[in-house]
Amino acid sequence: MAMASSRQKCVVVGAGPVGSLAALYAAKRGYQVEIYELRSDLRDPSTTPLNFTKSINLALSERGINAMRHAGHEPLLEHVFSATIPMRGRMIHGRQPDGELYEAAQDYDVHGRTIFAVDRAGLNRRLLDILDDMPNVKFFFNHKLTGADFKSRKAWFECRDRTTVSNRPVEIEIDFDFMIGADGAHSAVRYHLMKFTRVNYSQEYIDTLWCEFQIKPNVATNGRDAQSKFRISPNHLHIWPAKQFMFIAIPSDDGSFTCTLFMPGTEFAILEADSSKLPAFFDSHFPGVTSLISAQELVSSFESNPHLPLISIKCRPYHYSSSVVILGDAAHAMVPFYGQGMNAGLEDVRILFSVIDKHSASQSKDLNSSELDQATFQRKLALEEYSAIRSEDAHAINDLALQNYVEMRASVLMRMYRIRKFVEEFLSLHAPNLGWHTQYSRVSFGNERYSDVVARNEYQGKVLIRGLLGLFLGPLVLGSLGLVLTRYHSGKMRGPFEILRGFVRGFMKN
């Protein structure tokens, strides 16, 4: 870990999990860190989330865990894992043709590895508490970024909890050496970055909205085991697939499940016009849910909770000179269907600072330039490298997240999906030297680059197709050849080589 000069100020915009972890990495390297957050203190339960929902469940996997592992604060992981729930796979819910309900488990990993349901607020609170105890970290809540000059390294913030005589928010000007933008999909840092460098930017709203529901815990457990507070298995991500839409449930530590309905906007509009149809709609498409959530609760949640869009954002580069870089959703907001949004953001932090450390370690000993100038130059090189390598991987996981929506709502029911999953897991378990793994296990249980995961999965797919074609066409070809030879020996047909020569002559004539 390379140490920055104590004179260097790092400003982090955004105090969510990604911004907080970035601040911790920077503080551990000796920067004077200032964290600016649009909202009030996120540890205050009364603080309203930016999406106006109470959703607290996130899927934490190896990439996010590894980023916290390298933060240089061992108690962080201990605290996070004390309040997580391991999820070993999906639980697919449906109805048999005879009307009987069924549950079918699909483990994520043949080796027994799991992802973890984690309380977002608890994770965020722990990171902020750690930062609060560090002497080189300061917080500025209720501060909105209104301007930035990345050449002169100045920024302007509105203090939303302080007003002037004319009742306007007080505006302050600050200096900085390095700004990290972790302020979400609608990033103000990204907006100002685009004024200083040619950022290629695209965004896509998919034709799907989402709404939150809740399965309440069992109230009277009568001293039974901890599992009894859960009304369905706590160690699975539950999916009710319906091809064009789906309903999912993720466990919480208190025994409840945070549930989400994903559905095209046209379907939402139909139910918004008459929400009394919602219980019948659920009975038809998500069998068994109405035994877990009452009809009244379904309608109430649907009417009171917002129906929100899903956005996918790609851009590059992520930086300007040595002054600024964007991370997490600010750089690559993605749809939630791979459970990688937060994990990719946390991994951004680890990769960014590993690249900065590498360049800092190679800092020259030029006597004609100051230590600060050398550090600035090396950071410029580091940010260039980070943008080049990370944007390719971010684009890859954005695409995978979009593709996984089809898998979750439809492919999990298809025979070919299950056959490929079985073959890949069989090879992973019984022929480990081949290095064969499912795409999901590579994404969720490893740290290899997302772009390499995509390339490897495409290669495995081609090999499997060739193998299956050989398996099914081989007997057919051999049988046909045997029939030709039999008829040839009986004098009823030309030999196979004569047939081939005749075919070639005919082809050459044409």
Side-chain angles (χ1 to χ4, degrees):
M1 181 189 300
M3 298 300 291
S5 166
S6 60
R7 291 176 293 163
Q8 292 194 69
K9 182 199 288 188
C10 176
V11 165
V12 178
V13 181
V18 174
S20 297
L21 187 68
L24 179 58
Y25 268 70
K28 288 285 186 178
R29 284 158 176 77
Y31 283 96
Q32 296 299 314
V33 178
E34 293 182 357
I35 305 169
Y36 291 82
E37 168 59 46
L38 175 65
R39 296 163 287 180
S40 301
D41 192 332
L42 303 180
R43 292 166 289 186
D44 184 345
S46 67
T47 299
T48 304
L50 288 179
N51 60 11
F52 304 103
T53 73
K54 297 178 181 178
S55 182
I56 57 172
N57 299 82
L58 294 169
L60 179 66
S61 57
E62 167 57 24
R63 294 173 192 271
I65 294 167
N66 193 41
M68 289 188 282
R69 188 182 294 129
H70 285 83
H73 193 90
E74 190 172 330
L76 171 61
L77 271 183
E78 295 175 4
H79 174 84
V80 170
F81 276 115
S82 68
T84 60
I85 300 174
M87 296 187 293
R88 62 175 178 266
R90 299 165 177 160
M91 184 69 77
I92 311 302
H93 295 256
R95 180 182 284 118
Q96 302 282 12
D98 62 3
E100 185 178 349
L101 301 182
Y102 72 85
E103 293 181 345
Q106 294 181 358
D107 285 356
Y108 287 132
D109 182 60
V110 70
H111 301 287
R113 292 172 293 185
T114 68
I115 62 175
F116 299 88
V118 63
D119 176 354
R120 177 193 175 98
L123 171 60
N124 212 158
R125 187 164 48 248
R126 182 55 181 162
L127 283 165
L128 293 176
D129 286 342
I130 292 169
L131 292 166
D132 227 354
D133 290 335
M134 302 184 78
N136 56 330
V137 177
K138 295 178 181 178
F139 289 105
F140 298 87
F141 294 106
N142 293 300
H143 279 63
K144 178 183 179 181
L145 179 68
T146 57
D149 184 338
F150 295 122
K151 288 183 178 178
S152 63
R153 294 192 291 275
K154 294 181 182 295
W156 294 267
F157 291 87
E158 279 185 358
C159 308
R160 304 179 79 187
D161 53 357
R162 293 162 52 197
T163 57
T164 63
V165 176
S166 58
N167 207 33
R168 293 175 59 85
V170 172
E171 186 173 78
I172 61 170
E173 178 184 295
I174 66 164
D175 298 307
F176 61 89
D177 296 291
F178 181 30
M179 178 181 285
I180 297 175
D183 50 340
H186 303 287
S187 168
V189 177
R190 185 183 66 232
Y191 171 77
H192 293 293
L193 169 65
M194 294 170 81
K195 301 173 184 177
F196 289 85
T197 188
R198 292 176 292 181
V199 176
N200 292 318
Y201 173 85
S202 67
Q203 70 176 43
E204 176 187 1
Y205 283 100
I206 68 171
D207 183 24
T208 297
L209 301 177
W210 64 278
C211 180
E212 189 176 283
F213 299 81
Q214 186 183 53
I215 297 173
K216 293 181 178 178
N218 281 323
V219 178
T221 57
N222 297 323
R224 290 178 290 168
D225 63 273
Q227 299 280 323
S228 62
K229 62 185 176 183
F230 297 98
R231 299 176 66 187
I232 50 179
S233 167
N235 300 119
H236 291 87
L237 187 154
H238 295 262
I239 304 176
W240 284 261
K243 295 188 177 178
Q244 295 305 311
F245 33 84
M246 70 176 180
F247 189 75
I248 68 169
I250 300 177
S252 297
D253 197 41
D254 64 356
S256 67
F257 286 78
T258 298
C259 308
T260 312
L261 170 64
F262 296 99
M263 194 166 62
T266 52
E267 299 289 341
F268 265 100
I270 293 170
L271 292 171
E272 286 168 352
D274 185 0
S275 58
S276 65
K277 295 179 179 178
L278 194 70
F281 177 86
F282 267 73
D283 279 335
S284 174
H285 297 287
F286 311 124
V289 170
T290 52
S291 65
L292 300 168
I293 307 174
S294 71
Q296 182 180 355
E297 289 171 335
L298 278 175
V299 173
S300 175
S301 295
F302 186 79
E303 291 179 343
S304 60
N305 291 339
H307 305 160
L308 297 169
L310 294 169
I311 191 171
S312 178
I313 290 175
K314 295 179 180 178
C315 68
R316 64 159 56 114
Y318 295 150
H319 78 289
Y320 171 74
S321 187
S322 64
S323 302
V324 61
V325 68
I326 52 175
L327 306 177
D329 284 354
H332 48 70
M334 65 190 73
V335 295
F337 304 117
Y338 226 118
Q340 285 295 300
M342 180 187 70
N343 291 287
L346 298 178
E347 186 179 56
D348 286 351
V349 176
R350 178 185 65 82
I351 292 173
L352 169 66
F353 280 93
S354 69
V355 176
I356 290 175
D357 288 347
K358 180 183 74 173
H359 283 272
S360 297
S362 63
Q363 189 167 308
S364 69
K365 301 300 181 183
D366 184 358
L367 298 177
N368 295 320
S369 60
S370 69
E371 180 185 346
L372 188 59
D373 288 340
Q374 291 183 44
T376 301
F377 177 71
Q378 294 300 331
R379 187 169 61 244
K380 178 177 181 291
L381 297 179
L383 297 188
E384 289 174 356
E385 180 178 337
Y386 173 78
S387 271
I389 62 174
R390 193 56 178 168
S391 59
E392 181 183 1
D393 293 322
H395 291 184
I397 188 57
N398 272 41
D399 292 338
L400 287 179
L402 285 166
Q403 295 164 17
N404 210 48
Y405 183 34
V406 178
E407 178 175 314
M408 292 176 73
R409 62 181 167 83
S411 300
V412 291
L413 300 172
M414 296 179 180
R415 184 171 297 170
M416 281 306 299
Y417 167 82
R418 295 196 293 269
I419 289 174
R420 175 170 178 172
K421 186 173 186 294
F422 170 79
V423 171
E424 290 180 329
E425 289 181 338
F426 181 88
L427 292 173
S428 176
L429 186 63
H430 297 287
N433 291 337
L434 294 177
W436 205 283
H437 303 284
T438 64
Q439 179 175 271
Y440 188 91
S441 66
R442 290 181 185 277
V443 168
S444 296
F445 304 119
N447 293 290
E448 63 185 299
R449 294 182 61 181
Y450 288 120
S451 55
D452 290 344
V453 170
V454 171
R456 182 65 184 177
N457 187 66
E458 289 175 351
Y459 167 76
Q460 288 183 183
K462 291 176 182 178
V463 171
L464 282 176
I465 289 172
R466 291 169 186 160
L468 289 172
L469 286 174
L471 182 66
F472 290 111
L473 295 181
L476 180 63
V477 171
L478 290 174
S480 300
L481 183 60
L483 179 62
V484 168
L485 290 172
T486 301
R487 297 185 69 181
Y488 169 70
H489 288 303
S490 66
K492 296 180 180 179
M493 190 175 183
R494 291 181 297 162
F497 296 108
E498 292 178 51
I499 294 173
L500 179 61
R501 282 196 294 271
F503 173 78
V504 172
R505 289 195 195 102
F507 179 79
M508 295 297 291
K509 287 180 182 178
N510 293 330

